[in-house]
Amino acid sequence: MPLLPFSVQQTETSQEKLAVLIDADNTQPAIIEGLLNEVAKYGIASIKRIYGDWTSTNLRSWKDRLLEYAIQPIQQFSYTTGKNATDSAMIIDAMDLLYSGKLDGFCIVSSDSDFTRLAARLRESGHMVYGFGEKKTPRAFVSVCDKFIYTEILRDAQVEEEADEDKKTVAKRKEFKVDQKLLRLLHDAVDDQADESGWANLSKVGQGINKRSSEFDPRNYGFRKLGDLFRAISQFETEERPQENGMGRQVNIRWKKKR
């Protein structure tokens, strides 16, 4: 089941049924609104559960958020020092939900590598797996997910005026410096989709990037959209063309030719 390209994700609502499973020990309450908004891009959060020892004062900051966002807390006492009890409960629940046959995918919210094998098992069963965690998340867990979103970009923030956002975008374009790893990823994705003149459709490029890198997201680099990221890199040029069906315009990308 292929991922939708970035531009399509923003405009189409998927009806896939998803289970959102949150490791409270490894997740901050500040991300919850952004998290659920992000999940909505991929499907419907049919199940929302969060796991932890709710008798502990460590999770007090979560409690007000649970009712507001209709998240079901799952109690797991910490029988031993560490987080293994919570992880085990979450894994067992995920497998039970898998065998119920009522879901299309899973959202695993944790920065813990203990969920790497779970993600792999869910994918082996033909389910989409979306991972959410901090940038410290071990590479093995990031790579095994179909799509991985770093939660730093989902934290609570005040809504800004459109004019201020435009100014910030312009500033980012001037200051942004692309590293060679990112440049190679973008160049290869454009090259895969390019026609004889070198132009590639942005939506198809986004889909190709997703296949190559599960954690790629333009927001990781300070840009809301993939097109904004490309426009900030001097090695690429962009143009807009009318779509074949006459509805709107499509963005095309090309690696700049040497003159």
Side-chain angles (χ1 to χ4, degrees):
M1 187 182 301
L3 285 171
L4 291 172
F6 290 107
S7 59
V8 177
Q9 288 174 353
Q10 302 295 329
T11 57
E12 292 187 3
T13 302
S14 172
Q15 296 302 308
E16 290 191 346
K17 295 181 180 179
L18 304 175
V20 181
L21 309 180
I22 305 172
D23 176 7
D25 294 322
N26 271 289
T27 308
Q28 296 298 317
I31 73 163
I32 190 60
E33 181 176 358
L35 170 69
L36 295 179
N37 287 339
E38 189 73 19
V39 169
K41 297 178 183 179
Y42 307 107
I44 300 171
S46 298
I47 295 172
K48 293 179 286 185
R49 297 179 184 176
I50 186 167
Y51 300 78
D53 184 357
W54 300 102
T55 64
S56 169
T57 57
N58 294 335
L59 301 182
R60 182 180 301 169
S61 58
W62 266 110
K63 293 181 180 179
D64 292 338
R65 301 292 184 105
L66 303 185
L67 181 61
E68 181 180 358
Y69 294 99
I71 302 173
Q72 180 185 3
I74 305 297
Q75 171 62 29
Q76 181 59 51
F77 291 101
S78 299
Y79 298 113
T80 59
T81 302
K83 307 171 186 176
N84 290 337
T86 297
D87 294 352
S88 297
M90 189 165 154
I91 291 169
I92 291 170
D93 259 15
M95 294 307 296
D96 286 343
L97 291 170
L98 171 65
Y99 292 129
S100 73
K102 297 179 180 179
L103 295 167
D104 301 298
F106 292 80
C107 300
I108 302 175
V109 188
S110 178
S111 302
D112 196 332
S113 63
D114 289 349
F115 297 105
T116 302
R117 184 67 190 102
L118 172 63
R121 179 65 181 84
L122 296 173
R123 288 189 69 189
E124 289 170 2
S125 298
H127 289 66
M128 295 293 293
V129 177
Y130 303 97
F132 296 82
E134 297 179 354
K135 291 184 178 179
K136 67 180 182 180
T137 305
R139 182 68 188 176
F141 181 32
V142 173
S143 299
V144 78
C145 297
D146 289 289
K147 177 71 178 173
F148 195 92
I149 296 93
Y150 291 116
T151 54
E152 284 83 354
I153 64 177
L154 303 178
R155 293 185 183 278
D156 289 344
Q158 292 183 348
V159 177
E160 299 173 342
E161 295 294 333
E162 191 67 31
D164 291 339
E165 185 65 29
D166 290 342
K167 291 178 182 178
K168 289 184 177 182
T169 299
V170 171
K172 288 171 185 173
R173 291 178 188 172
K174 293 180 179 179
E175 299 172 1
F176 180 67
K177 294 182 179 180
V178 62
D179 60 69
Q180 290 302 309
K181 182 179 179 181
L182 173 61
L183 187 62
R184 184 167 54 253
L185 171 66
L186 298 179
H187 176 270
D188 290 346
V190 170
D191 191 53
D192 286 346
Q193 301 295 333
D195 58 21
E196 293 181 355
S197 60
W199 289 104
N201 178 270
L202 178 64
S203 294
K204 292 182 179 179
V205 170
Q207 188 173 20
I209 293 173
N210 265 329
K211 292 178 180 178
R212 291 173 177 269
S213 176
S214 63
E215 78 270 32
F216 176 83
D217 193 305
R219 292 170 297 179
N220 293 334
Y221 304 95
F223 297 91
R224 291 190 304 114
K225 297 180 179 180
L226 180 60
D228 292 334
L229 175 60
F230 271 111
R231 293 184 186 97
I233 302 175
S234 60
Q235 288 90 339
F236 293 99
E237 57 183 325
T238 64
E239 72 168 18
E240 292 188 11
R241 302 175 184 172
Q243 294 192 28
E244 294 181 358
N245 59 10
M247 301 293 291
R249 302 177 68 82
Q250 67 181 27
V251 177
N252 293 279
I253 309 293
R254 182 169 68 176
W255 181 261
K256 281 187 178 178
K257 297 180 179 179
K258 294 181 179 180
R259 301 185 186 282

